[in-house]
Amino acid sequence: MIIKVEAIIREEKLQDVLDALGEMEVHGLTCYQVMGCGTQRGMKSYVRGHQEVEIHMLPKIKLEVLVSSEEWEKKTMETIQKAAYTGNIGDGKIFSYDVRDAMRIRTKETGPGAIQPE
Ligand SMILES: Nc1ncnc2c1ncn2[C@@H]1O[C@H](COP(=O)(O)OP(=O)(O)OP(=O)(O)O)[C@@H](O)[C@H]1O
Ligand SMILES: [Mg+2]
């Protein structure tokens, strides 16, 4: 089983999340800068009580971690949630997906072994 945990977090929370993931056995991750918006559509203000209709994109960080069990999926999601939390709107989202396969290019190993230490 291979599961991808994907988190969209505040830029300023990246180091906290990396520190927290570093405390657990994480064997690899990918992160990149993205632009996005959530339910508030990135809005900053309300005009005369009406919501702005325009969508504003805000800079965020996207993190991807592949894990090999539902137990690690849960642990990873909980760890990221704790470390990325401020309690304000825009804290981000965490998604998880089933991954069909993975391959370590150097060894051609596939399946869960490709994402675990040799
Ligand atoms: N439905 C979605 N589809 C794709 N990406 C999303 C979705 N919702 C949120 N995101 C991504 O997550 C980022 C942060 O979203 P955000 O935290 O604002 O979600 P929210 O549902 O509005 O929660 P909150 O009410 O706490 O703000 C967005 O900038 C966007 O990149
Ligand atoms: Mg939001």
Side-chain angles (χ1 to χ4, degrees):
M1 171 180 281
I2 304 174
I3 300 167
K4 179 166 83 165
V5 176
E6 198 176 274
I8 312 210
I9 60 166
R10 296 180 188 279
E11 291 183 311
E12 60 269 29
K13 279 293 191 177
L14 176 60
Q15 198 54 55
D16 287 347
V17 171
L18 292 179
D19 290 347
L21 289 174
E23 298 280 307
M24 31 183 286
E25 276 183 76
V26 162
H27 305 300
L29 57 83
T30 304
C31 88
Y32 35 104
Q33 293 182 293
V34 295
M35 299 291 284
C37 66
T39 51
Q40 295 83 15
R41 297 175 160 202
M43 91 183 63
K44 287 205 179 109
S45 60
Y46 288 80
V47 182
R48 289 191 294 277
H50 296 289
Q51 292 190 355
E52 287 179 39
V53 287
E54 220 176 316
I55 288 180
H56 298 277
M57 304 289 268
L58 299 171
K60 298 280 172 183
I61 294 287
K62 184 159 161 182
L63 253 175
E64 295 178 354
V65 188
L66 270 68
V67 297
S68 49
S69 70
E70 285 179 353
E71 187 192 340
W72 279 105
E73 173 194 19
K74 194 161 176 263
K75 277 189 202 166
T76 304
M77 290 178 80
E78 284 171 357
T79 299
I80 294 172
Q81 189 278 332
K82 279 199 198 104
Y85 178 86
T86 72
N88 299 306
I89 59 170
D91 269 356
K93 283 235 168 75
I94 309 175
F95 308 110
S96 70
Y97 311 84
D98 290 323
V99 173
R100 278 171 56 85
D101 206 358
M103 182 189 278
R104 177 177 282 122
I105 291 175
R106 177 174 56 84
T107 57
K108 293 194 201 160
E109 193 171 12
T110 56
I115 60 159
Q116 287 161 345
E118 289 174 275

